[in-house]
PDB file of all heavy atoms in Angstrom:
ATOM      1  N   LEU A   1     102.442  86.198  84.287  1.00 81.00           N
ATOM      2  CA  LEU A   1     103.483  85.349  84.844  1.00 81.00           C
ATOM      3  C   LEU A   1     104.814  86.091  85.095  1.00 81.00           C
ATOM      4  O   LEU A   1     105.654  85.609  85.881  1.00 81.00           O
ATOM      5  CB  LEU A   1     103.722  84.146  83.953  1.00 81.00           C
ATOM      6  CG  LEU A   1     102.508  83.203  83.686  1.00 81.00           C
ATOM      7  CD1 LEU A   1     102.930  82.145  82.759  1.00 81.00           C
ATOM      8  CD2 LEU A   1     101.845  82.676  84.920  1.00 81.00           C
ATOM      9  N   SER A   2     105.062  87.164  84.497  1.00 78.00           N
ATOM     10  CA  SER A   2     106.262  87.858  84.679  1.00 78.00           C
ATOM     11  C   SER A   2     106.086  89.099  85.538  1.00 78.00           C
ATOM     12  O   SER A   2     105.214  89.919  85.125  1.00 78.00           O
ATOM     13  CB  SER A   2     106.892  88.294  83.224  1.00 78.00           C
ATOM     14  OG  SER A   2     107.988  88.977  83.316  1.00 78.00           O
ATOM     15  N   ILE A   3     106.838  89.281  86.581  1.00 74.00           N
ATOM     16  CA  ILE A   3     106.635  90.411  87.505  1.00 74.00           C
ATOM     17  C   ILE A   3     107.023  91.612  86.673  1.00 74.00           C
ATOM     18  O   ILE A   3     108.180  91.752  86.335  1.00 74.00           O
ATOM     19  CB  ILE A   3     107.474  90.248  88.721  1.00 74.00           C
ATOM     20  CG1 ILE A   3     106.861  89.144  89.541  1.00 74.00           C
ATOM     21  CG2 ILE A   3     107.447  91.481  89.571  1.00 74.00           C
ATOM     22  CD1 ILE A   3     107.616  88.779  90.815  1.00 74.00           C
ATOM     23  N   SER A   4     106.064  92.496  86.446  1.00 74.00           N
ATOM     24  CA  SER A   4     106.324  93.732  85.682  1.00 74.00           C
ATOM     25  C   SER A   4     105.451  94.875  86.225  1.00 74.00           C
ATOM     26  O   SER A   4     105.128  94.894  87.368  1.00 74.00           O
ATOM     27  CB  SER A   4     106.068  93.436  84.191  1.00 74.00           C
ATOM     28  OG  SER A   4     104.765  92.935  84.025  1.00 74.00           O
ATOM     29  N   GLY A   5     105.066  95.732  85.274  1.00 71.00           N
ATOM     30  CA  GLY A   5     104.323  96.949  85.810  1.00 71.00           C
ATOM     31  C   GLY A   5     103.086  96.617  86.517  1.00 71.00           C
ATOM     32  O   GLY A   5     102.787  97.383  87.535  1.00 71.00           O
ATOM     33  N   MET A   6     102.239  95.773  86.035  1.00 75.00           N
ATOM     34  CA  MET A   6     101.006  95.449  86.749  1.00 75.00           C
ATOM     35  C   MET A   6     101.247  94.995  88.133  1.00 75.00           C
ATOM     36  O   MET A   6     100.573  95.462  89.117  1.00 75.00           O
ATOM     37  CB  MET A   6     100.183  94.442  85.936  1.00 75.00           C
ATOM     38  CG  MET A   6      98.853  94.066  86.638  1.00 75.00           C
ATOM     39  SD  MET A   6      98.001  92.879  85.715  1.00 75.00           S
ATOM     40  CE  MET A   6      99.092  91.338  86.023  1.00 75.00           C
ATOM     41  N   HIS A   7     102.107  94.059  88.338  1.00 79.00           N
ATOM     42  CA  HIS A   7     102.384  93.528  89.699  1.00 79.00           C
ATOM     43  C   HIS A   7     102.891  94.635  90.552  1.00 79.00           C
ATOM     44  O   HIS A   7     102.529  94.754  91.774  1.00 79.00           O
ATOM     45  CB  HIS A   7     103.402  92.420  89.675  1.00 79.00           C
ATOM     46  CG  HIS A   7     102.920  91.300  88.631  1.00 79.00           C
ATOM     47  ND1 HIS A   7     103.162  91.546  87.314  1.00 79.00           N
ATOM     48  CD2 HIS A   7     102.344  90.162  88.788  1.00 79.00           C
ATOM     49  CE1 HIS A   7     102.664  90.422  86.701  1.00 79.00           C
ATOM     50  NE2 HIS A   7     102.211  89.559  87.577  1.00 79.00           N
ATOM     51  N   MET A   8     103.955  95.350  90.080  1.00 84.00           N
ATOM     52  CA  MET A   8     104.568  96.373  90.940  1.00 84.00           C
ATOM     53  C   MET A   8     103.525  97.570  91.296  1.00 84.00           C
ATOM     54  O   MET A   8     103.458  97.950  92.463  1.00 84.00           O
ATOM     55  CB  MET A   8     105.774  97.059  90.196  1.00 84.00           C
ATOM     56  CG  MET A   8     106.908  96.132  90.126  1.00 84.00           C
ATOM     57  SD  MET A   8     107.820  95.932  91.688  1.00 84.00           S
ATOM     58  CE  MET A   8     109.146  94.859  91.311  1.00 84.00           C
ATOM     59  N   SER A   9     102.737  97.903  90.370  1.00 84.00           N
ATOM     60  CA  SER A   9     101.831  98.917  90.634  1.00 84.00           C
ATOM     61  C   SER A   9     100.697  98.435  91.544  1.00 84.00           C
ATOM     62  O   SER A   9     100.303  99.231  92.483  1.00 84.00           O
ATOM     63  CB  SER A   9     101.047  99.286  89.270  1.00 84.00           C
ATOM     64  OG  SER A   9     102.006  99.707  88.268  1.00 84.00           O
ATOM     65  N   LEU A  10     100.247  97.298  91.497  1.00 83.00           N
ATOM     66  CA  LEU A  10      99.312  96.723  92.457  1.00 83.00           C
ATOM     67  C   LEU A  10      99.879  96.725  93.871  1.00 83.00           C
ATOM     68  O   LEU A  10      99.132  97.118  94.799  1.00 83.00           O
ATOM     69  CB  LEU A  10      98.779  95.336  92.002  1.00 83.00           C
ATOM     70  CG  LEU A  10      97.890  95.298  90.711  1.00 83.00           C
ATOM     71  CD1 LEU A  10      97.547  93.903  90.360  1.00 83.00           C
ATOM     72  CD2 LEU A  10      96.560  96.018  91.176  1.00 83.00           C
ATOM     73  N   VAL A  11     101.007  96.169  93.994  1.00 87.00           N
ATOM     74  CA  VAL A  11     101.725  96.083  95.251  1.00 87.00           C
ATOM     75  C   VAL A  11     101.875  97.574  95.928  1.00 87.00           C
ATOM     76  O   VAL A  11     101.523  97.791  97.021  1.00 87.00           O
ATOM     77  CB  VAL A  11     103.092  95.380  95.229  1.00 87.00           C
ATOM     78  CG1 VAL A  11     103.867  95.663  96.538  1.00 87.00           C
ATOM     79  CG2 VAL A  11     102.879  93.973  94.866  1.00 87.00           C
ATOM     80  N   ALA A  12     102.307  98.496  95.070  1.00 88.00           N
ATOM     81  CA  ALA A  12     102.491  99.843  95.506  1.00 88.00           C
ATOM     82  C   ALA A  12     101.098 100.443  95.879  1.00 88.00           C
ATOM     83  O   ALA A  12     101.026 101.187  96.862  1.00 88.00           O
ATOM     84  CB  ALA A  12     103.136 100.677  94.354  1.00 88.00           C
ATOM     85  N   ALA A  13     100.018 100.161  95.078  1.00 87.00           N
ATOM     86  CA  ALA A  13      98.723 100.753  95.327  1.00 87.00           C
ATOM     87  C   ALA A  13      98.131 100.177  96.602  1.00 87.00           C
ATOM     88  O   ALA A  13      97.672 101.028  97.456  1.00 87.00           O
ATOM     89  CB  ALA A  13      97.811 100.390  94.157  1.00 87.00           C
ATOM     90  N   PHE A  14      98.279  98.909  96.890  1.00 87.00           N
ATOM     91  CA  PHE A  14      97.757  98.334  98.115  1.00 87.00           C
ATOM     92  C   PHE A  14      98.524  98.884  99.388  1.00 87.00           C
ATOM     93  O   PHE A  14      97.927  99.184 100.324  1.00 87.00           O
ATOM     94  CB  PHE A  14      97.812  96.789  98.084  1.00 87.00           C
ATOM     95  CG  PHE A  14      96.791  96.159  97.134  1.00 87.00           C
ATOM     96  CD1 PHE A  14      97.231  95.327  96.195  1.00 87.00           C
ATOM     97  CD2 PHE A  14      95.513  96.494  97.186  1.00 87.00           C
ATOM     98  CE1 PHE A  14      96.306  94.798  95.299  1.00 87.00           C
ATOM     99  CE2 PHE A  14      94.490  95.971  96.450  1.00 87.00           C
ATOM    100  CZ  PHE A  14      94.838  95.020  95.435  1.00 87.00           C
ATOM    101  N   LEU A  15      99.879  98.876  99.185  1.00 90.00           N
ATOM    102  CA  LEU A  15     100.654  99.471 100.356  1.00 90.00           C
ATOM    103  C   LEU A  15     100.293 100.955 100.598  1.00 90.00           C
ATOM    104  O   LEU A  15     100.149 101.266 101.796  1.00 90.00           O
ATOM    105  CB  LEU A  15     102.182  99.260 100.086  1.00 90.00           C
ATOM    106  CG  LEU A  15     102.673  97.792 100.123  1.00 90.00           C
ATOM    107  CD1 LEU A  15     104.139  97.860  99.628  1.00 90.00           C
ATOM    108  CD2 LEU A  15     102.610  97.277 101.493  1.00 90.00           C
ATOM    109  N   PHE A  16     100.260 101.702  99.534  1.00 89.00           N
ATOM    110  CA  PHE A  16      99.987 103.076  99.735  1.00 89.00           C
ATOM    111  C   PHE A  16      98.604 103.312 100.298  1.00 89.00           C
ATOM    112  O   PHE A  16      98.460 104.108 101.284  1.00 89.00           O
ATOM    113  CB  PHE A  16     100.085 103.823  98.372  1.00 89.00           C
ATOM    114  CG  PHE A  16      99.680 105.275  98.352  1.00 89.00           C
ATOM    115  CD1 PHE A  16     100.663 106.224  98.859  1.00 89.00           C
ATOM    116  CD2 PHE A  16      98.497 105.693  97.873  1.00 89.00           C
ATOM    117  CE1 PHE A  16     100.250 107.590  98.859  1.00 89.00           C
ATOM    118  CE2 PHE A  16      98.103 107.031  97.964  1.00 89.00           C
ATOM    119  CZ  PHE A  16      99.105 107.925  98.395  1.00 89.00           C
ATOM    120  N   GLY A  17      97.531 102.671  99.769  1.00 88.00           N
ATOM    121  CA  GLY A  17      96.193 102.760 100.239  1.00 88.00           C
ATOM    122  C   GLY A  17      96.083 102.278 101.631  1.00 88.00           C
ATOM    123  O   GLY A  17      95.352 102.863 102.473  1.00 88.00           O
ATOM    124  N   GLY A  18      96.647 101.156 101.966  1.00 89.00           N
ATOM    125  CA  GLY A  18      96.569 100.546 103.306  1.00 89.00           C
ATOM    126  C   GLY A  18      97.216 101.437 104.343  1.00 89.00           C
ATOM    127  O   GLY A  18      96.617 101.668 105.394  1.00 89.00           O
ATOM    128  N   ILE A  19      98.408 101.824 104.096  1.00 90.00           N
ATOM    129  CA  ILE A  19      99.235 102.654 105.071  1.00 90.00           C
ATOM    130  C   ILE A  19      98.438 103.952 105.379  1.00 90.00           C
ATOM    131  O   ILE A  19      98.346 104.429 106.435  1.00 90.00           O
ATOM    132  CB  ILE A  19     100.646 102.858 104.563  1.00 90.00           C
ATOM    133  CG1 ILE A  19     101.365 101.547 104.560  1.00 90.00           C
ATOM    134  CG2 ILE A  19     101.310 103.872 105.486  1.00 90.00           C
ATOM    135  CD1 ILE A  19     102.722 101.550 103.909  1.00 90.00           C
ATOM    136  N   ARG A  20      97.995 104.622 104.147  1.00 90.00           N
ATOM    137  CA  ARG A  20      97.347 105.864 104.266  1.00 90.00           C
ATOM    138  C   ARG A  20      95.994 105.696 105.117  1.00 90.00           C
ATOM    139  O   ARG A  20      95.747 106.596 105.936  1.00 90.00           O
ATOM    140  CB  ARG A  20      96.998 106.523 102.993  1.00 90.00           C
ATOM    141  CG  ARG A  20      96.551 107.924 102.903  1.00 90.00           C
ATOM    142  CD  ARG A  20      96.339 108.409 101.583  1.00 90.00           C
ATOM    143  NE  ARG A  20      95.842 109.831 101.555  1.00 90.00           N
ATOM    144  CZ  ARG A  20      95.530 110.440 100.474  1.00 90.00           C
ATOM    145  NH1 ARG A  20      95.365 109.875  99.329  1.00 90.00           N
ATOM    146  NH2 ARG A  20      95.124 111.739 100.627  1.00 90.00           N
ATOM    147  N   LEU A  21      95.314 104.650 104.882  1.00 89.00           N
ATOM    148  CA  LEU A  21      94.046 104.402 105.596  1.00 89.00           C
ATOM    149  C   LEU A  21      94.298 104.235 107.099  1.00 89.00           C
ATOM    150  O   LEU A  21      93.664 104.820 107.960  1.00 89.00           O
ATOM    151  CB  LEU A  21      93.281 103.152 105.085  1.00 89.00           C
ATOM    152  CG  LEU A  21      92.027 102.721 105.772  1.00 89.00           C
ATOM    153  CD1 LEU A  21      91.002 103.817 105.677  1.00 89.00           C
ATOM    154  CD2 LEU A  21      91.587 101.440 105.149  1.00 89.00           C
ATOM    155  N   MET A  22      95.388 103.455 107.385  1.00 91.00           N
ATOM    156  CA  MET A  22      95.713 103.228 108.823  1.00 91.00           C
ATOM    157  C   MET A  22      96.122 104.513 109.498  1.00 91.00           C
ATOM    158  O   MET A  22      95.776 104.736 110.706  1.00 91.00           O
ATOM    159  CB  MET A  22      96.783 102.119 108.998  1.00 91.00           C
ATOM    160  CG  MET A  22      96.321 100.758 108.682  1.00 91.00           C
ATOM    161  SD  MET A  22      97.557  99.480 109.053  1.00 91.00           S
ATOM    162  CE  MET A  22      98.869  99.872 107.878  1.00 91.00           C
ATOM    163  N   LEU A  23      96.856 105.316 108.816  1.00 90.00           N
ATOM    164  CA  LEU A  23      97.183 106.639 109.417  1.00 90.00           C
ATOM    165  C   LEU A  23      96.006 107.547 109.585  1.00 90.00           C
ATOM    166  O   LEU A  23      95.930 108.296 110.561  1.00 90.00           O
ATOM    167  CB  LEU A  23      98.363 107.221 108.668  1.00 90.00           C
ATOM    168  CG  LEU A  23      99.755 106.529 108.535  1.00 90.00           C
ATOM    169  CD1 LEU A  23     100.675 107.277 107.587  1.00 90.00           C
ATOM    170  CD2 LEU A  23     100.329 106.441 109.907  1.00 90.00           C
ATOM    171  N   ALA A  24      95.097 107.431 108.599  1.00 90.00           N
ATOM    172  CA  ALA A  24      93.972 108.420 108.688  1.00 90.00           C
ATOM    173  C   ALA A  24      93.027 108.046 109.783  1.00 90.00           C
ATOM    174  O   ALA A  24      92.214 108.823 110.401  1.00 90.00           O
ATOM    175  CB  ALA A  24      93.240 108.260 107.298  1.00 90.00           C
ATOM    176  N   LEU A  25      93.107 106.766 110.371  1.00 88.00           N
ATOM    177  CA  LEU A  25      92.252 106.262 111.413  1.00 88.00           C
ATOM    178  C   LEU A  25      92.830 106.733 112.708  1.00 88.00           C
ATOM    179  O   LEU A  25      92.113 106.491 113.759  1.00 88.00           O
ATOM    180  CB  LEU A  25      92.121 104.735 111.362  1.00 88.00           C
ATOM    181  CG  LEU A  25      91.339 104.189 110.100  1.00 88.00           C
ATOM    182  CD1 LEU A  25      91.345 102.697 110.168  1.00 88.00           C
ATOM    183  CD2 LEU A  25      89.978 104.728 110.076  1.00 88.00           C
ATOM    184  N   ILE A  26      93.922 107.341 112.753  1.00 88.00           N
ATOM    185  CA  ILE A  26      94.606 107.862 114.011  1.00 88.00           C
ATOM    186  C   ILE A  26      94.519 109.432 113.915  1.00 88.00           C
ATOM    187  O   ILE A  26      95.366 110.057 113.294  1.00 88.00           O
ATOM    188  CB  ILE A  26      95.957 107.365 114.193  1.00 88.00           C
ATOM    189  CG1 ILE A  26      96.008 105.850 114.087  1.00 88.00           C
ATOM    190  CG2 ILE A  26      96.438 107.839 115.528  1.00 88.00           C
ATOM    191  CD1 ILE A  26      97.409 105.266 114.124  1.00 88.00           C
ATOM    192  N   PRO A  27      93.454 109.979 114.588  1.00 87.00           N
ATOM    193  CA  PRO A  27      93.282 111.513 114.346  1.00 87.00           C
ATOM    194  C   PRO A  27      94.539 112.327 114.658  1.00 87.00           C
ATOM    195  O   PRO A  27      94.824 113.214 113.839  1.00 87.00           O
ATOM    196  CB  PRO A  27      92.161 111.843 115.301  1.00 87.00           C
ATOM    197  CG  PRO A  27      91.380 110.642 115.339  1.00 87.00           C
ATOM    198  CD  PRO A  27      92.390 109.464 115.300  1.00 87.00           C
ATOM    199  N   PRO A  28      95.259 112.080 115.779  1.00 86.00           N
ATOM    200  CA  PRO A  28      96.446 112.932 115.936  1.00 86.00           C
ATOM    201  C   PRO A  28      97.413 112.896 114.894  1.00 86.00           C
ATOM    202  O   PRO A  28      98.084 113.837 114.571  1.00 86.00           O
ATOM    203  CB  PRO A  28      97.069 112.381 117.268  1.00 86.00           C
ATOM    204  CG  PRO A  28      95.869 111.687 117.983  1.00 86.00           C
ATOM    205  CD  PRO A  28      95.076 111.138 116.826  1.00 86.00           C
ATOM    206  N   LEU A  29      97.636 111.736 114.201  1.00 86.00           N
ATOM    207  CA  LEU A  29      98.618 111.642 113.133  1.00 86.00           C
ATOM    208  C   LEU A  29      98.036 112.233 111.821  1.00 86.00           C
ATOM    209  O   LEU A  29      98.669 112.923 111.085  1.00 86.00           O
ATOM    210  CB  LEU A  29      98.902 110.246 112.884  1.00 86.00           C
ATOM    211  CG  LEU A  29      99.622 109.437 113.965  1.00 86.00           C
ATOM    212  CD1 LEU A  29      99.909 108.015 113.583  1.00 86.00           C
ATOM    213  CD2 LEU A  29     100.929 110.107 114.355  1.00 86.00           C
ATOM    214  N   ALA A  30      96.676 111.990 111.594  1.00 83.00           N
ATOM    215  CA  ALA A  30      96.086 112.561 110.358  1.00 83.00           C
ATOM    216  C   ALA A  30      96.018 114.074 110.302  1.00 83.00           C
ATOM    217  O   ALA A  30      96.058 114.629 109.329  1.00 83.00           O
ATOM    218  CB  ALA A  30      94.640 111.882 110.255  1.00 83.00           C
ATOM    219  N   LEU A  31      95.962 114.702 111.548  1.00 84.00           N
ATOM    220  CA  LEU A  31      95.734 116.137 111.645  1.00 84.00           C
ATOM    221  C   LEU A  31      97.039 116.895 111.708  1.00 84.00           C
ATOM    222  O   LEU A  31      97.078 118.006 111.374  1.00 84.00           O
ATOM    223  CB  LEU A  31      94.871 116.471 112.818  1.00 84.00           C
ATOM    224  CG  LEU A  31      93.400 116.011 112.843  1.00 84.00           C
ATOM    225  CD1 LEU A  31      92.723 116.308 114.098  1.00 84.00           C
ATOM    226  CD2 LEU A  31      92.652 116.652 111.579  1.00 84.00           C
ATOM    227  N   THR A  32      98.164 116.141 111.988  1.00 87.00           N
ATOM    228  CA  THR A  32      99.411 116.844 112.229  1.00 87.00           C
ATOM    229  C   THR A  32     100.455 116.415 111.209  1.00 87.00           C
ATOM    230  O   THR A  32     101.511 117.186 111.054  1.00 87.00           O
ATOM    231  CB  THR A  32      99.942 116.592 113.589  1.00 87.00           C
ATOM    232  OG1 THR A  32     100.100 115.147 113.859  1.00 87.00           O
ATOM    233  CG2 THR A  32      98.955 117.231 114.690  1.00 87.00           C
ATOM    234  N   LEU A  33     100.371 115.302 110.610  1.00 87.00           N
ATOM    235  CA  LEU A  33     101.394 114.807 109.710  1.00 87.00           C
ATOM    236  C   LEU A  33     100.907 114.729 108.267  1.00 87.00           C
ATOM    237  O   LEU A  33      99.688 114.499 107.966  1.00 87.00           O
ATOM    238  CB  LEU A  33     101.858 113.398 110.204  1.00 87.00           C
ATOM    239  CG  LEU A  33     102.532 113.283 111.562  1.00 87.00           C
ATOM    240  CD1 LEU A  33     102.821 111.860 111.839  1.00 87.00           C
ATOM    241  CD2 LEU A  33     103.814 114.150 111.645  1.00 87.00           C
ATOM    242  N   PRO A  34     101.798 114.824 107.298  1.00 90.00           N
ATOM    243  CA  PRO A  34     101.435 114.719 105.941  1.00 90.00           C
ATOM    244  C   PRO A  34     101.389 113.090 105.489  1.00 90.00           C
ATOM    245  O   PRO A  34     102.317 112.571 104.964  1.00 90.00           O
ATOM    246  CB  PRO A  34     102.648 115.300 105.136  1.00 90.00           C
ATOM    247  CG  PRO A  34     103.762 115.253 106.066  1.00 90.00           C
ATOM    248  CD  PRO A  34     103.150 115.294 107.440  1.00 90.00           C
ATOM    249  N   ILE A  35     100.278 112.536 105.913  1.00 89.00           N
ATOM    250  CA  ILE A  35     100.098 111.017 105.893  1.00 89.00           C
ATOM    251  C   ILE A  35     100.177 110.643 104.328  1.00 89.00           C
ATOM    252  O   ILE A  35     100.631 109.449 104.165  1.00 89.00           O
ATOM    253  CB  ILE A  35      98.857 110.653 106.481  1.00 89.00           C
ATOM    254  CG1 ILE A  35      97.604 111.266 105.814  1.00 89.00           C
ATOM    255  CG2 ILE A  35      98.772 111.057 107.981  1.00 89.00           C
ATOM    256  CD1 ILE A  35      96.315 110.605 106.334  1.00 89.00           C
ATOM    257  N   LYS A  36      99.825 111.408 103.455  1.00 90.00           N
ATOM    258  CA  LYS A  36      99.883 110.966 102.055  1.00 90.00           C
ATOM    259  C   LYS A  36     101.344 110.719 101.654  1.00 90.00           C
ATOM    260  O   LYS A  36     101.715 109.799 101.040  1.00 90.00           O
ATOM    261  CB  LYS A  36      99.196 112.014 101.122  1.00 90.00           C
ATOM    262  CG  LYS A  36      99.130 111.625  99.654  1.00 90.00           C
ATOM    263  CD  LYS A  36      98.521 112.758  98.816  1.00 90.00           C
ATOM    264  CE  LYS A  36      98.428 112.254  97.349  1.00 90.00           C
ATOM    265  NZ  LYS A  36      97.785 113.346  96.612  1.00 90.00           N
ATOM    266  N   LYS A  37     102.267 111.694 102.023  1.00 91.00           N
ATOM    267  CA  LYS A  37     103.613 111.537 101.696  1.00 91.00           C
ATOM    268  C   LYS A  37     104.377 110.491 102.490  1.00 91.00           C
ATOM    269  O   LYS A  37     105.183 109.722 101.936  1.00 91.00           O
ATOM    270  CB  LYS A  37     104.330 112.853 101.924  1.00 91.00           C
ATOM    271  CG  LYS A  37     103.838 114.008 100.997  1.00 91.00           C
ATOM    272  CD  LYS A  37     104.616 115.249 101.115  1.00 91.00           C
ATOM    273  CE  LYS A  37     104.148 116.368 100.144  1.00 91.00           C
ATOM    274  NZ  LYS A  37     104.904 117.612 100.355  1.00 91.00           N
ATOM    275  N   ILE A  38     103.939 110.279 103.683  1.00 91.00           N
ATOM    276  CA  ILE A  38     104.470 109.209 104.559  1.00 91.00           C
ATOM    277  C   ILE A  38     104.026 107.901 103.864  1.00 91.00           C
ATOM    278  O   ILE A  38     104.907 106.930 103.752  1.00 91.00           O
ATOM    279  CB  ILE A  38     103.922 109.264 105.949  1.00 91.00           C
ATOM    280  CG1 ILE A  38     104.536 110.604 106.646  1.00 91.00           C
ATOM    281  CG2 ILE A  38     104.272 108.047 106.721  1.00 91.00           C
ATOM    282  CD1 ILE A  38     103.973 110.783 108.042  1.00 91.00           C
ATOM    283  N   ALA A  39     102.771 107.782 103.431  1.00 91.00           N
ATOM    284  CA  ALA A  39     102.406 106.582 102.817  1.00 91.00           C
ATOM    285  C   ALA A  39     103.127 106.256 101.502  1.00 91.00           C
ATOM    286  O   ALA A  39     103.428 105.125 101.190  1.00 91.00           O
ATOM    287  CB  ALA A  39     100.826 106.615 102.564  1.00 91.00           C
ATOM    288  N   ALA A  40     103.319 107.397 100.777  1.00 91.00           N
ATOM    289  CA  ALA A  40     104.089 107.183  99.560  1.00 91.00           C
ATOM    290  C   ALA A  40     105.567 106.735  99.843  1.00 91.00           C
ATOM    291  O   ALA A  40     106.048 105.801  99.108  1.00 91.00           O
ATOM    292  CB  ALA A  40     104.250 108.511  98.795  1.00 91.00           C
ATOM    293  N   MET A  41     106.263 107.266 100.902  1.00 93.00           N
ATOM    294  CA  MET A  41     107.587 106.765 101.164  1.00 93.00           C
ATOM    295  C   MET A  41     107.645 105.370 101.623  1.00 93.00           C
ATOM    296  O   MET A  41     108.506 104.554 101.169  1.00 93.00           O
ATOM    297  CB  MET A  41     108.088 107.729 102.242  1.00 93.00           C
ATOM    298  CG  MET A  41     108.602 109.148 101.682  1.00 93.00           C
ATOM    299  SD  MET A  41     109.471 110.070 103.004  1.00 93.00           S
ATOM    300  CE  MET A  41     108.199 110.366 104.232  1.00 93.00           C
ATOM    301  N   LEU A  42     106.749 104.948 102.544  1.00 92.00           N
ATOM    302  CA  LEU A  42     106.711 103.643 102.975  1.00 92.00           C
ATOM    303  C   LEU A  42     106.327 102.673 101.847  1.00 92.00           C
ATOM    304  O   LEU A  42     106.793 101.484 101.834  1.00 92.00           O
ATOM    305  CB  LEU A  42     105.752 103.495 104.229  1.00 92.00           C
ATOM    306  CG  LEU A  42     106.074 104.291 105.450  1.00 92.00           C
ATOM    307  CD1 LEU A  42     105.041 104.171 106.595  1.00 92.00           C
ATOM    308  CD2 LEU A  42     107.440 103.787 105.975  1.00 92.00           C
ATOM    309  N   SER A  43     105.284 103.044 100.957  1.00 91.00           N
ATOM    310  CA  SER A  43     105.031 102.260  99.882  1.00 91.00           C
ATOM    311  C   SER A  43     106.169 102.067  98.901  1.00 91.00           C
ATOM    312  O   SER A  43     106.387 100.981  98.479  1.00 91.00           O
ATOM    313  CB  SER A  43     103.853 102.964  99.066  1.00 91.00           C
ATOM    314  OG  SER A  43     103.571 102.170  97.941  1.00 91.00           O
ATOM    315  N   MET A  44     107.061 103.085  98.786  1.00 91.00           N
ATOM    316  CA  MET A  44     108.251 102.912  97.883  1.00 91.00           C
ATOM    317  C   MET A  44     109.229 101.839  98.544  1.00 91.00           C
ATOM    318  O   MET A  44     109.792 101.099  97.875  1.00 91.00           O
ATOM    319  CB  MET A  44     108.940 104.289  97.742  1.00 91.00           C
ATOM    320  CG  MET A  44     110.009 104.270  96.756  1.00 91.00           C
ATOM    321  SD  MET A  44     110.867 105.845  96.529  1.00 91.00           S
ATOM    322  CE  MET A  44     109.479 106.939  96.083  1.00 91.00           C
ATOM    323  N   LEU A  45     109.333 102.018  99.860  1.00 92.00           N
ATOM    324  CA  LEU A  45     110.238 101.031 100.529  1.00 92.00           C
ATOM    325  C   LEU A  45     109.705  99.577 100.421  1.00 92.00           C
ATOM    326  O   LEU A  45     110.490  98.706 100.195  1.00 92.00           O
ATOM    327  CB  LEU A  45     110.377 101.440 102.090  1.00 92.00           C
ATOM    328  CG  LEU A  45     111.158 100.619 102.959  1.00 92.00           C
ATOM    329  CD1 LEU A  45     112.633 100.565 102.430  1.00 92.00           C
ATOM    330  CD2 LEU A  45     111.095 101.030 104.377  1.00 92.00           C
ATOM    331  N   GLY A  46     108.366  99.458 100.607  1.00 90.00           N
ATOM    332  CA  GLY A  46     107.797  98.108 100.558  1.00 90.00           C
ATOM    333  C   GLY A  46     107.842  97.570  99.143  1.00 90.00           C
ATOM    334  O   GLY A  46     108.185  96.387  98.957  1.00 90.00           O
ATOM    335  N   THR A  47     107.587  98.394  98.183  1.00 89.00           N
ATOM    336  CA  THR A  47     107.726  97.984  96.698  1.00 89.00           C
ATOM    337  C   THR A  47     109.201  97.615  96.356  1.00 89.00           C
ATOM    338  O   THR A  47     109.345  96.665  95.636  1.00 89.00           O
ATOM    339  CB  THR A  47     107.161  99.033  95.762  1.00 89.00           C
ATOM    340  OG1 THR A  47     105.790  99.399  96.257  1.00 89.00           O
ATOM    341  CG2 THR A  47     107.017  98.534  94.297  1.00 89.00           C
ATOM    342  N   GLY A  48     110.097  98.414  96.906  1.00 89.00           N
ATOM    343  CA  GLY A  48     111.455  97.975  96.676  1.00 89.00           C
ATOM    344  C   GLY A  48     111.842  96.708  97.267  1.00 89.00           C
ATOM    345  O   GLY A  48     112.623  96.006  96.637  1.00 89.00           O
TER     346      GLY A  48
END
């Protein structure tokens, strides 16, 4: 019931996994950009 580690971790994990998957489905982006780090930055913004 209290927003804490489990909730923040799940939100970050879903955002990170979802953003990374969407970027990986676009070959020009997946082959030229560090999509893992981009997903991490956007996930940090969304979790914030």
Side-chain angles (χ1 to χ4, degrees):
L1 302 178
S2 175
I3 294 178
S4 55
M6 180 182 66
H7 308 79
M8 289 289 180
S9 300
L10 288 173
V11 169
F14 286 126
L15 288 173
F16 177 77
I19 294 170
R20 190 179 182 188
L21 176 61
M22 287 189 294
L23 294 176
L25 294 176
I26 306 174
L29 297 180
L31 296 174
T32 58
L33 297 176
I35 61 172
K36 183 178 180 181
K37 295 184 178 182
I38 293 174
M41 287 189 291
L42 294 178
S43 175
M44 189 183 300
L45 180 62
T47 309

